[in-house]
Amino acid sequence: MMTLRNLPSVEQILQTEVAARMIVGFGRPLTLDAIRFVLDGTRARFKSEGITVLPSTDLILAQTESTLTAWTQPTLIPVINASGVILHTNLGRAPLSKSAIHAMDLVSRGYSTLEYDLDKGQRGSRSIHAESLLQKLTGAESAFIANNNAAAVLLVLSALANKKRVVISRSQLVEIGGGFRVPDVMKQSGAKLVEVGTTNKVHISDYEEALIEAAGLVMHAHRSNFKLVGFTEEPELNEIVTAAHGFGVPVVDDLGSGALYDTAQYGLAHEATVQESMQAGVDIVCFSGDKLLGGPQAGIIIGKADLIAKIKKHPLARAVRADKTCLAGLSATLLHYLKDEAEREVPILKMMSQTLKQVRGRAEAWAAELGHGLALSNVEVLVVEGESTVGGGSLPGESMPTFLLTLKVKSAEKFLRGLRKNNPPVIARTENDKVLLDPRTVLPEQEDALLVGLKNVLNY
Ligand SMILES: *Cc1c(COP(=O)(O)O)cnc(C)c1O
């Protein structure tokens, strides 16, 4: 009868060649941890489950190696997005342009002028980096970049409206997802929420009545992923601005997505642009870097110099400020807009501007490529019309026509699981038991990997 004394010791295992190789690959402390973890597990099972045969040293080594692999497997890895959702929040939103990636790479490699003034040879300001580009693009006097737009909104409210009344339309008290609720963010900032109007109808007189009592801000918030239809009415932004300014109260517009271009040119609904918001006379505009702008995760705050100065001085500004890679990538992205080359360079704009003919061509090329081996399997491949969506809390209910590669397989769910096991994993969707892949959101350089992935799951 075997006893636990027959189990090899940590020392004995360490003597083996395999263990030496693992130490080279994973480092000694982690390898030791893994060996102990496997031995402890074996002992526990021996005692509790009455296992009578102890594993060989070879088996313990194999278990140690798979433990080490599991422990060190990165969890944040690239995937191929064939879902047709352009700004997929779960898949990291906007892929970046080549220049943005290059700029981020350069500043990560070494030291940079993050807060250094080369002319003076002394400390400079981090907030200048994207500022002049934003000034030129939007006409704003000043800018501050936060880590994301949620942080930007929290900072703006904290700096400008702590303990003050903030007037906002009832129709804009939305939850944008991920637990970000406009009223909760207001409460967190110390602002006193003053709701005006009703859920569906808000009049300018509602704002005016609320402004008779002193207020710190009027807030306007994009409804994000939610749409108000039917018997509805809301004043134009410039009317709200006129009313607020009449009472000497500044207006903040949380645009959410914050496009610098007209989405209508891609057959989508018109989404309020940053420039329109500025032209309406808004004092502060906040928007995301990684939604319709197509840059890195950031919260962009632009507007009047005196208000931005207050925002920059608030203690939260330090806590939520953007890092150097974000500032580098954001600047490179903004430069595409300034040089009028965004549609050519910014991946999400390339995706939106892809013509139906181009998408169809790609889907048909994929089908043809798969067709060569299809005789071997009982899978039906078709190219059909479908819809892509923008996502990212913008343009609710809007979609753009596309062409999809559809695969009729035995189990669509099983097929999707197989696609997710690929390297890189492929994310697709299903409908009526069919697997759907939308070329619109697949980056051209990922097409080969996608086809390899599909062939892997199709088994040829
Ligand atoms: C998306 C969104 C935010 C949050 O922006 P993040 O960059 O995701 O933090 C805030 N407000 C609105 C209206 C949004 O659509």
Side-chain angles (χ1 to χ4, degrees), residues 24 36 38 48 71 101 126 151 174 180 191 194 210 236 241 249 259 285 304 312 314 358 398 412 419 421 435 447 449:
V24 172
R36 290 200 183 106
V38 170
S48 70
W71 283 356
I101 294 163
R126 141 183 336 231
V174 297
F180 185 91
V194 180
E236 294 289 329
V241 170
V249 177
V285 182
K304 301 270 158 65
K312 284 180 182 170
H314 191 275
Q358 288 168 327
E398 288 285 316
L419 284 176
K421 287 214 178 91
V435 176
E447 286 200 343

Side-chain angles (χ1 to χ4, degrees), residues 240-256:
I240 298 172
V241 170
T242 306
H245 287 179
F247 289 90
V249 177
V251 179
V252 169
D253 190 11
D254 172 18
L255 265 184

Side-chain angles (χ1 to χ4, degrees), residues 259-266 268-271 273 276:
L260 291 172
Y261 51 91
D262 186 0
T263 47
Q265 66 187 302
Y266 303 120
L268 296 159
H270 173 74
E271 175 95 341
T273 67
E276 282 162 5

Side-chain angles (χ1 to χ4, degrees), residues 378-413:
N378 43 5
V379 175
E380 194 182 299
V381 177
L382 278 174
V383 172
V384 303
E385 281 178 64
E387 283 174 351
S388 320
T389 52
V390 178
S394 53
L395 298 157
E398 288 285 316
S399 60
M400 40 201 334
T402 195
F403 277 93
L404 305 164
L405 178 77
T406 68
L407 304 169
K408 200 168 165 209
V409 294
K410 258 201 239 109
S411 161
E413 283 309 321

